[in-house]
Amino acid sequence: MSECQDGWLRDRWQRSARTVAATAAMSVASVVLALGTMVGQAAAGVSPAERGSLNAALAAPAVSSVAAGYAHTCAIRTDATLWCWGSNYSGELGDGTTTSRTTPVRVGTATTWAGIEAGSSHTCAVQTDRTLWCWGSNLRGQLGDGSTTNRTTPVRVGNATTWASVSAGDSHTCAVRTDGTLWCWGFNRLGQLGLGSSVYYLVAPAQVGTATNWVGVTTGFAHTCATRADGTLWCWGDSSSGQLGLGSLSYATTPAQVGTATTWTGVTAGYTHTCAVRTDRTLWCWGDNGYGQLGVNTTYQTTPTQVGNISTWTGVNAGFDTSCAVRTDGSLWCWGNNATGQLGDGTTTNRYAPTRVGTATTWTSGLVAGYHTCAVRTDGSLWCWGNNANAQLGDGTTTQRSTPAQVTLPS
């Protein structure tokens, strides 16, 4: 990310820490989501505005996944091409420039992109050959290419061909390999790499511990969480708002198990809060709650707290001050900070409990990031809403949206 953004985020984090210590309150995080809609059910489950774009959705190139950073968005089409748009101050769009884009631009010529992840101002992606590539801001070595030089086009991370998934945070990155090992690099001021406190930052991947049963990892502003094949959940890094779920406000520099449950199926780290789903489809959140991003009307929580009594949640994602989740009936729900309409409910009112986004019942899974939200439907159409100051909604404007608006990628 830019030095200006870095300073803003750092100052904000410091203010949040002081708020917790002084008032036993709150936190931050928001949302960007990738999800889906069945073609046969689309007309019946959308708002009039969404319905007006249905024909265009059917004609537009289909999207398989989407990721959003602080002010940029990237998506992979079903033809495995990669497209990005929005802020490009540090080269996070990967198109060889630092020019911001109001509509999607293609990243290179490769047709082998398999997975995409966006941090605050850097982006990483895995190709079908299991190679890993990153680009954008590299001030703290978060690109993992052995340098601290920003990159405007994708650069390969090492020479491994066993990368399974990657997660990009603010200034650090972590990834899991097909052998179940976990690797992190970038900024480590608060132990977010899980490698102890002796390292300030790393410019290349380093293995976290010796475990070989990691199945997923998620990175927040300065904390990291990951799940293992045995269903246990582990977190480390900053816990100034309780976002590690360990029952305290003390940070941890190596992975620490969250409780004793062995039923965690997925976890997502926001700015200073965390949410996760269990095998019984219950939803749990913890950490800062200044905007209601935990989905419960309480102060910050240092241990997992159940969100309502619903047991139909399939997935959740957390970002800056906001969280979004999908239920088994395909409905999408968001809560927390809504200052820029990122909850998608047509208002700018913060919500302390899950609030439904429209009436569609065909959303699938999601992704989260800055103050905007994006979602993919099962027909492959892409929708975004919320903050658009940097054209991160990809609709050719800088107009803020409080309800989902379709994004059309070039043919």
Side-chain angles (χ1 to χ4, degrees):
M1 75 187 159
S2 70
E3 292 182 3
C4 177
Q5 289 174 330
D6 183 51
W8 180 85
L9 287 171
R10 183 167 53 250
D11 289 344
R12 185 172 186 185
W13 176 85
Q14 290 169 344
R15 287 197 300 272
S16 176
R18 288 195 296 268
T19 301
V20 170
T23 68
M26 315 166 198
S27 156
V28 261
S30 174
V31 174
V32 168
L33 255 126
L35 315 140
T37 255
M38 289 294 293
V39 175
Q41 299 173 345
V46 298
S47 68
E50 294 171 323
R51 192 176 298 119
S53 298
L54 182 57
N55 290 337
L58 296 175
V63 170
S64 60
S65 62
V66 63
Y70 180 74
H72 75 289
T73 309
C74 294
I76 297 176
R77 294 196 330 196
T78 52
D79 62 3
T81 58
L82 175 60
W83 303 74
C84 294
W85 57 95
S87 174
N88 199 25
Y89 184 91
S90 301
E92 56 264 46
L93 301 189
D95 68 346
T97 76
T98 54
T99 302
S100 296
R101 308 291 184 176
T102 62
T103 56
V105 292
R106 186 169 174 182
V107 180
T109 59
T111 57
T112 53
W113 297 104
I116 182 74
E117 253 286 321
S120 289
S121 294
H122 76 290
T123 311
C124 293
V126 177
Q127 293 196 12
T128 53
D129 62 0
R130 295 298 181 187
T131 56
L132 176 61
W133 303 74
C134 294
W135 58 96
S137 177
N138 199 27
L139 180 65
R140 300 299 185 184
Q142 58 264 47
L143 301 188
D145 69 344
S147 78
T148 55
T149 302
N150 291 354
R151 307 293 184 179
T152 61
T153 57
V155 291
R156 187 170 170 181
V157 181
N159 56 12
T161 57
T162 55
W163 297 105
S165 63
V166 61
S167 179
D170 177 67
S171 297
H172 76 292
T173 308
C174 293
V176 175
R177 290 187 179 175
T178 54
D179 62 2
T181 57
L182 175 62
W183 302 71
C184 293
W185 58 96
F187 205 21
N188 193 46
R189 186 169 67 90
L190 292 171
Q192 56 263 53
L193 300 188
L195 302 170
S197 59
S198 61
V199 175
Y200 190 64
Y201 70 89
L202 284 178
V203 298
Q207 187 174 347
V208 180
T210 59
T212 58
N213 61 344
W214 298 104
V215 294
V217 64
T218 178
T219 52
F221 176 73
H223 76 290
T224 307
C225 293
T227 52
R228 291 184 177 177
D230 59 6
T232 57
L233 173 62
W234 303 71
C235 293
W236 57 95
D238 177 34
S239 195
S240 58
S241 299
Q243 59 264 49
L244 298 189
L246 302 176
S248 75
L249 301 178
S250 300
Y251 67 94
T253 62
T254 56
Q257 187 173 348
V258 180
T260 59
T262 58
T263 55
W264 299 105
T265 60
V267 61
T268 177
Y271 183 74
T272 50
H273 79 290
T274 309
C275 293
V277 174
R278 291 185 176 175
T279 53
D280 62 1
R281 298 209 180 281
T282 56
L283 174 62
W284 303 73
C285 293
W286 57 96
D288 206 351
N289 197 36
Y291 295 90
Q293 57 265 46
L294 299 188
V296 292
N297 194 8
T298 65
T299 59
Y300 72 97
Q301 300 292 302
T302 62
T303 57
T305 301
Q306 187 173 353
V307 181
N309 57 9
I310 301 297
S311 57
T312 58
W313 300 103
T314 61
V316 61
N317 278 274
F320 283 82
D321 309 339
T322 311
S323 306
C324 290
V326 179
R327 291 184 181 175
T328 52
D329 63 1
S331 59
L332 171 63
W333 302 72
C334 295
W335 59 96
N337 192 341
N338 197 27
T340 60
Q342 62 265 45
L343 299 188
D345 66 350
T347 77
T348 54
T349 302
N350 297 343
R351 306 293 184 180
Y352 282 77
T355 301
R356 189 166 178 178
V357 181
T359 59
T361 57
T362 47
W363 301 105
T364 57
S365 59
L367 263 237
V368 180
Y371 290 94
H372 69 295
T373 304
C374 293
V376 179
R377 293 183 172 173
T378 54
D379 64 354
S381 62
L382 175 62
W383 303 76
C384 293
W385 58 97
N387 186 28
N388 199 28
N390 295 97
Q392 54 265 54
L393 301 188
D395 61 0
T397 77
T398 54
T399 301
Q400 182 174 301
R401 312 283 184 184
S402 61
T403 57
Q406 190 186 347
V407 182
T408 302
L409 274 66
S411 299

